[in-house]
Amino acid sequence: MRVYLDNAATTPLDKEVFDAMAPFMLEHFGNPSSIHSHGREVRSAIEKARRTVATLLNTSPAEVFFTSGGTEADNAAIVCTCRSLGIKHAITTKLEHHAVLHTMEMLEKQGDVQLSYLRHDERGNLDLEHLEELLANQPRTIVSIMHANNEIGTLNDIEKIGEICRKYDAIFHSDTVQTMGHYKHDVQQIGANFLVGSAHKFHGPKGVGFLYCDAATKIQPLIQGGAQERNMRGGTENVYGIIGLAKALEIAYRDMAEHQKHMQGLKDRMIYKLREQMEDVSFNGMSEFADKSLYTVLNVSLPASDINEMLLFSLDIAKISASGGSACSSGANAGSHVLRALGVDPSRGSVRFSFSKYNTEAEIDYVAETLAKMYKKELA
Ligand SMILES: Cc1ncc(COP(=O)(O)O)c(C=O)c1O
């Protein structure tokens, strides 16, 4: 048995998505900017995909821009807001993905913004009173806070954060990469200026994503070039990527309730099995609480042991693919800025298991048993 439990890093492509993409690789190859029929048929497919995404998010197609993925969409929202709107103060958290954190650090280093970090507790829950304090004392600000953390799964109340931002006239960007396709996002209800999606996190293709930007927030493009994406992103569109993204999001919304139930069941089973078979096991962040964390992510905290150094490697030998931190550092246990920010005891091991609709109970049982055996042997 080979088990893939690293779905927060990336998910396998859905066959239905591939089938929707294939004709745009082989038959419909025109450049969507061309005025002839080869171009026009592809342009029309892109605009249909945009309408699909917009409808699912309860917004208009004019507010959806396709990008090369989550990282580019995060960069565009943050950098272009500061540049175009002359924003000089930014608020974020130490728990963000590097797509946000490194972008903010760069702006601070260049002297473009003064950066403030929001306080949080040892489980990653944010202090929203602190957010109000920071906003009350500052000029117009950009606030960038993720919907759910990719490493520990902790969910943030982005509707509440959106409300606070509106109260202080702040621009609100939420990195929704880990929740897009797993929860329903109604942009009218959330009230954020920017949301982000990345297709490969919900069984779509890699290298394509989108930025939702509300029409009232007028920013200039990050990537200069042609007039694509209504002058908001130069460069020939990733046509089959865009077709795949829209199809994957459509499927995710269509089957969401069923898949959520399935994955929450797998996560609960993993928690139960690990507690049953291991002595000193706990869970980082809020990942053991169903209503406070992503149903796709479980971050397990393991007893201090020599095995921790080689944990991911040992799991890999046992044919289990998991991760020790965010997607970008998976493979090597490169250490996690999130767990460090939470003050997690560095002598303990941690592993992130992340689930998809394709995982089974038999896989969960095998992984829990394998992990328990590894630690029993080591501690004996
Ligand atoms: C929370 C979060 N933001 C942004 C990204 C980057 O997305 P992409 O891989 O599409 O660039 C990731 C990917 O791991 C993520 O988990």
Side-chain angles (χ1 to χ4, degrees):
M1 185 186 298
R2 243 179 111 208
V3 184
Y4 183 76
L5 284 184
D6 201 11
N7 291 283
T10 197
T11 53
L13 191 72
D14 190 315
K15 173 73 167 56
E16 220 183 309
V17 174
F18 177 74
D19 289 343
M21 293 167 69
F24 291 88
M25 295 174 175
L26 299 170
E27 298 149 42
H28 311 300
F29 59 85
N31 186 322
S33 296
S34 301
I35 54 158
H36 48 61
S37 66
H38 283 86
R40 284 199 314 273
E41 65 179 7
V42 175
R43 156 74 43 225
S44 142
I46 289 183
E47 293 317 316
K48 183 164 172 259
R50 198 187 312 280
R51 280 197 301 280
T52 301
V53 174
T55 305
L56 295 172
L57 268 59
N58 191 21
T59 186
S60 85
E63 296 182 313
V64 175
F65 302 94
F66 293 115
T67 66
S68 66
T71 301
E72 184 193 321
D74 282 335
N75 270 260
I78 297 167
V79 172
C80 301
T81 294
C82 294
R83 259 191 218 152
S84 311
L85 306 180
I87 297 233
K88 299 278 182 229
H89 181 231
I91 299 173
T92 191
T93 80
K94 293 238 162 105
L95 309 173
E96 299 300 309
H97 189 273
H98 282 149
V100 167
L101 218 43
H102 287 169
T103 307
M104 288 291 193
E105 286 165 7
M106 174 198 75
L107 292 173
E108 185 189 36
K109 213 159 155 191
Q110 288 175 180
D112 294 332
V113 295
Q114 184 214 323
L115 185 57
S116 307
Y117 292 101
L118 201 56
R119 279 196 296 264
H120 58 79
D121 67 14
E122 71 288 351
R123 282 182 177 257
N125 297 301
L126 304 178
D127 179 350
L128 295 188
E129 279 176 26
H130 188 215
L131 178 60
E132 293 224 33
E133 271 167 45
L134 287 170
L135 286 170
N137 295 323
Q138 291 290 344
R140 198 143 187 257
T141 295
I142 177 165
V143 175
S144 179
I145 296 177
M146 66 203 321
H147 189 188
N149 188 278
N150 48 299
E151 295 192 35
I152 52 171
T154 305
L155 276 166
N156 295 318
D157 185 348
I158 53 171
E159 281 183 31
K160 179 94 188 35
I161 295 169
E163 208 179 291
I164 296 172
C165 287
R166 279 196 303 283
K167 181 170 156 194
Y168 293 95
D169 192 27
I171 300 285
F172 177 35
H173 159 253
S174 184
D175 177 347
T176 44
V177 165
Q178 287 293 336
T179 53
M180 193 58 68
H182 300 292
Y183 294 83
K184 290 192 172 156
H185 292 83
D186 179 336
V187 301
Q188 311 304 329
Q189 217 169 309
I190 298 167
N193 301 81
F194 298 103
L195 299 178
V196 173
S198 176
H200 73 108
K201 307 289 186 183
F202 49 90
H203 303 286
K206 292 170 182 58
V208 63
F210 68 87
L211 176 66
Y212 156 78
C213 169
D214 90 291
T217 309
K218 306 275 184 222
I219 57 165
Q220 299 299 310
L222 180 71
I223 296 178
Q224 309 297 326
Q228 291 90 350
E229 297 297 298
R230 295 181 314 289
N231 288 310
M232 279 291 285
R233 184 191 189 263
T236 301
E237 295 88 339
N238 175 359
V239 176
Y240 32 82
I242 290 169
I243 302 299
L245 181 151
K247 188 69 186 170
L249 199 61
E250 197 179 292
I251 295 169
Y253 270 64
R254 184 190 72 197
D255 302 337
M256 196 175 285
E258 183 196 331
H259 290 152
Q260 176 161 4
K261 190 162 168 259
H262 174 67
M263 283 182 256
Q264 187 64 55
L266 296 179
K267 182 173 158 173
D268 292 345
R269 189 177 182 96
M270 177 75 100
I271 294 172
Y272 178 81
K273 292 272 170 186
L274 289 175
R275 283 204 170 118
E276 188 185 51
Q277 297 174 62
M278 294 183 75
E279 261 167 33
D280 182 16
V281 68
S282 56
F283 303 96
N284 291 312
M286 300 295 285
S287 61
E288 70 191 281
F289 304 107
D291 57 334
K292 296 272 193 263
S293 72
L294 275 174
Y295 55 87
T296 51
V297 170
L298 181 66
N299 196 306
V300 185
S301 169
L302 296 152
S305 156
D306 286 347
I307 209 167
N308 292 343
E309 283 288 305
M310 303 286 278
L311 181 54
L312 294 179
F313 184 62
S314 309
L315 285 170
D316 191 30
I317 289 180
K319 298 191 168 18
I320 299 166
S321 297
S323 170
S326 86
C328 312
S329 48
S330 64
N333 206 346
S336 144
H337 68 280
V338 173
L339 297 183
R340 268 197 301 278
L342 297 183
V344 164
D345 177 355
S347 71
R348 290 186 68 85
S350 24
V351 56
R352 176 189 71 182
F353 295 120
S354 44
F355 314 100
S356 88
K357 59 184 180 183
Y358 297 127
N359 290 121
T360 63
E361 290 189 348
E363 289 178 336
I364 300 300
D365 294 355
Y366 170 71
V367 173
E369 213 171 279
T370 305
L371 203 59
K373 265 194 213 146
M374 273 164 54
Y375 278 82
K376 242 175 234 147
K377 238 187 263 163
E378 186 62 24
L379 298 173

